[in-house]
Amino acid sequence: MTPSSRFLRPPSRPALGLRTRLTLSYVLLFGVVMTSIGLTFHQALSVIFYQQAERLLDGEWHALKGFLRARDTELVWAYDPEHPEEAFTVDRLRRVFLLTDPQGEVVEMSNGYASIGRESPETVRRVLETGQQVTVKRTGAKGETYMVRMGPYGAGGRTYFVAIGLPVSETERVPSRMLAVYAIAAPVMLLAIAVLGWFAAGRALSPLMRVVEAARTVSGGNLSLRIEPLGTGDELDQLIETFNGMMERLEANFEQMKRFSVDASHELRTPLTAIRGQLEVAMLTARSMEDFRRAITTALEDVERLGRIVQSLLQLAQAETGQIRLNRQPEMLAEIAARQVAQFQPLAARKRIELRLLAPEPCLASVDRLQMERLVDNLLSNAIKYTQEGGRVEVRLREENGDAVLEVADNGPGIPEHHLPHIFEKFYRVREGERTAGRGVGLGLAFVRWIARAHGGTVQVRSRVGEGTTFEVRIPLGGEVARTETVGASR
Ligand code: ADP
């Protein structure tokens, strides 16, 4: 396994922390939103002001018609100079005013208009040719801007060219000023958002930091560590729950491993101590060849037992790491069960145990025959071993919901409830005395579980103290699959 394959996804190390990146994202987002709002507002305001100026200019043009009259072939201002309102209006109209003859010769030009420069004879001709009014923008000598309406003006059969202007510098400056104010205010607001974002991100991420802190302190010694859920049900809460769940599994596995190490060393030490004792006693006390032979024979039996334990351990390790290949063939499970029951009859008879098989259906399944035999063998030998003389053991096989259900039931001593979750662990034994009694090495049920799982099935135990124990194995039915595969036991 290469180091990188241990990660679900190759970790790309970000240069900035999550909090900083979140804050920057807020600021960027707000920056973009505020800039577009500012620009849109500026644009809208400019359009509104332009339209307003155009409307004002419309009004001025109409007012012009009321005061500029034809007298013979000339155009004259007709108003009452004594009338303050009329005088004021005419005064306003003449402030930026140009009147020329069709050739562009100036008839009247106000100082205001002079500052933007009279219209060229070209412009005059063009406007008069089209006969339409046009609105243009003109800039004065000092940079001030005017909106100018120009058009033909008929009087006494002659057509004049008239232009009036409206100063719009001030109006135009408003949107730009607003944008300038906005450009100063926006960074201040962004700064405030950055500060707020920094605190908000910190608050949002603080549960994450708790997980990080907790994960950092995890070691073999404090696997009982859990983080209190927030109770919000959000993603962070789920993370905490997932973390706690992972710790729970880790703790259970670690405890199991610890128990296994203790049990395994105990299992291996017991026969070793016995061998040593027997040989030492023989060395000191044996007098004849016969005495030595006896001592060596007993020692050899223990060596054999040691060998069996080591062999089984090795096989289980291979099974659990996926190194054992299942040779699956369509098999009648009823036949396998019948053969095993027949094999155990003599042993059962010796303990006056009534051993029965109930298998009304053939139960065709794709299984590794040797492994299935081993599974039935382990369950049956346990049932007979732990059931008292005169007891009863029943092997039942039936089909149910697409599964073959194999039950090995006895009316033996039963297993106390608190032992049941551990019964399939390696070397786990219910009663201490069993360590030396019988010939089991305490790995039988671990094998049963692996075999059931390797076939895509399950194994369960039901037991009541004083009433008996039933092991139930479920294997998917179906004989069409015939293949060889490697299967590791999942936990
Ligand atoms: P062993 O080699 O000790 O039989 P197993 O893994 O097969 O190891 O079984 C583990 C323990 O489960 C046994 O030591 C025994 O205490 C308990 N056990 C298994 N089967 C039965 C049963 N049929 N009745 C009562 N106890 C059982």
Side-chain angles (χ1 to χ4, degrees):
M1 191 187 270
T2 58
S4 64
S5 68
R6 287 167 52 220
F7 298 105
L8 293 180
R9 223 187 275 159
S12 54
R13 267 187 74 81
L16 296 172
L18 195 54
R19 190 177 186 184
T20 316
R21 278 186 290 152
L22 269 178
T23 311
L24 284 181
S25 308
Y26 289 150
V27 172
L28 195 73
L29 186 73
F30 273 93
V32 170
V33 170
M34 279 166 64
T35 310
S36 26
I37 287 179
L39 291 179
T40 315
F41 202 57
H42 175 262
Q43 191 63 24
L45 218 57
S46 306
V47 170
I48 289 170
F49 282 150
Y50 184 83
Q51 284 170 346
Q52 205 180 19
E54 261 200 323
R55 268 201 303 276
L56 269 175
L57 213 49
D58 271 348
E60 297 292 79
W61 190 266
H62 278 110
L64 191 76
K65 279 189 173 162
F67 295 108
L68 202 58
R69 300 265 170 78
R71 186 179 296 154
D72 301 329
T73 57
E74 277 183 20
L75 277 174
V76 291
W77 291 99
Y79 69 103
D80 178 4
E82 300 301 316
H83 194 293
E85 242 175 68
E86 282 187 11
F88 177 77
T89 309
V90 169
D91 203 35
R92 195 184 66 224
L93 290 170
R94 293 174 85 171
R95 216 168 282 158
V96 186
F97 177 76
L98 174 70
L99 175 69
T100 74
D101 66 10
Q103 283 72 44
E105 279 305 315
V106 175
V107 178
E108 184 185 335
M109 177 159 73
S110 69
N111 287 343
Y113 214 104
S115 87
I116 37 177
R118 50 172 283 211
E119 299 301 329
S120 67
E122 232 93 289
T123 314
V124 173
R125 218 180 29 253
R126 237 188 0 259
V127 170
L128 295 186
E129 264 168 24
T130 58
Q132 300 289 322
Q133 293 168 22
V134 271
T135 307
V136 291
K137 245 169 127 185
R138 290 274 186 265
T139 310
K142 291 184 196 135
E144 71 278 21
T145 43
Y146 294 89
M147 195 179 260
V148 175
R149 168 78 48 94
M150 50 186 76
Y153 208 91
R158 278 191 82 181
T159 306
Y160 287 88
F161 170 87
V162 172
I164 49 168
L166 195 71
V168 287
S169 305
E170 276 308 306
T171 328
E172 260 184 352
R173 238 170 264 147
V174 174
S176 308
R177 276 204 198 120
M178 184 225 84
L179 200 64
V181 172
Y182 195 73
I184 295 167
V188 178
M189 271 154 76
L190 278 183
L191 195 72
I193 283 164
V195 173
L196 280 178
W198 177 259
F199 281 110
R203 261 182 77 90
L205 290 176
S206 75
L208 197 64
M209 291 319 292
R210 273 163 56 203
V211 179
V212 171
E213 279 307 311
R216 205 174 272 157
T217 53
V218 168
S219 69
N222 64 349
L223 288 174
S224 56
L225 188 110
R226 302 285 180 275
I227 304 171
E228 201 184 319
L230 305 170
T232 49
D234 60 9
E235 288 83 350
L236 283 169
D237 216 24
Q238 283 172 26
L239 176 71
I240 291 176
E241 265 168 34
T242 312
F243 176 85
N244 286 344
M246 183 191 77
M247 290 299 291
E248 208 132 296
R249 288 193 299 277
L250 217 58
E251 190 180 19
N253 278 354
F254 201 73
E255 282 303 313
Q256 205 173 318
M257 264 170 55
K258 264 202 316 216
R259 255 198 319 267
F260 170 73
S261 319
V262 172
D263 289 348
S265 25
H266 192 100
E267 284 305 317
L268 297 174
R269 209 181 49 207
T270 312
L272 271 178
T273 318
I275 294 167
R276 190 184 166 155
Q278 286 145 13
L279 294 181
E280 275 174 0
V281 170
M283 283 272 283
L284 293 175
T285 60
R287 309 216 176 278
S288 62
M289 203 55 188
E290 192 49 37
D291 288 345
F292 275 118
R293 195 182 297 276
R294 245 198 324 268
I296 289 173
T297 310
T298 345
L300 270 179
E301 274 171 20
D302 278 320
V303 169
E304 249 171 56
R305 181 178 158 76
L306 256 181
R308 269 206 316 278
I309 295 177
V310 172
Q311 174 72 9
S312 300
L313 265 181
L314 195 67
Q315 275 185 8
L316 252 185
Q318 285 174 336
E320 287 175 348
T321 50
Q323 292 175 48
I324 290 189
R325 296 174 82 78
L326 281 193
N327 185 14
R328 292 175 86 161
Q329 302 287 344
E331 300 278 351
M332 303 290 184
L333 295 186
E335 280 177 13
I336 295 178
R339 258 198 315 273
Q340 292 303 108
V341 168
Q343 266 183 29
F344 274 91
Q345 283 299 359
L347 191 64
R350 240 174 284 152
K351 275 184 89 174
R352 290 189 297 107
I353 286 174
E354 186 194 340
L355 172 59
R356 290 204 306 166
L357 170 70
L358 288 170
E361 288 147 323
C363 293
L364 180 69
S366 169
V367 295
D368 183 321
R369 188 166 51 82
L370 284 179
Q371 299 293 359
M372 276 322 274
E373 281 175 358
R374 184 182 210 173
L375 179 145
V376 182
D377 186 298
N378 283 348
L379 291 179
L380 256 181
S381 69
N382 273 353
I384 293 173
K385 184 163 65 182
Y386 297 111
T387 302
Q388 67 287 354
E389 289 213 359
R392 206 172 54 241
V393 173
E394 213 168 75
V395 177
R396 297 189 283 258
L397 185 69
R398 64 175 192 280
E399 293 182 3
E400 192 181 285
N401 301 331
D403 286 335
V405 182
L406 172 83
E407 285 181 329
V408 178
D410 62 55
N411 65 347
I415 304 167
E417 205 176 334
H418 64 277
H419 288 294
L420 292 178
H422 307 291
I423 202 89
F424 295 99
E425 289 171 16
K426 298 179 201 97
F427 293 126
Y428 193 88
R429 284 185 169 105
V430 175
R431 287 160 285 267
E432 267 302 300
E434 284 170 6
R435 277 188 195 286
T436 43
R439 297 173 57 80
V441 293
L443 297 171
L445 288 180
F447 267 113
V448 167
R449 181 169 65 174
W450 173 75
I451 295 166
R453 285 181 174 176
H455 284 86
T458 56
V459 57
Q460 283 180 332
V461 57
R462 299 190 297 274
S463 191
R464 274 197 119 110
V465 176
E467 287 182 21
T469 307
T470 301
F471 283 91
E472 182 193 284
V473 177
R474 279 175 182 265
I475 303 283
L477 281 170
E480 66 287 349
V481 221
R483 58 190 172 189
T484 306
E485 60 193 56
T486 309
V487 189
S490 56
R491 294 204 155 256

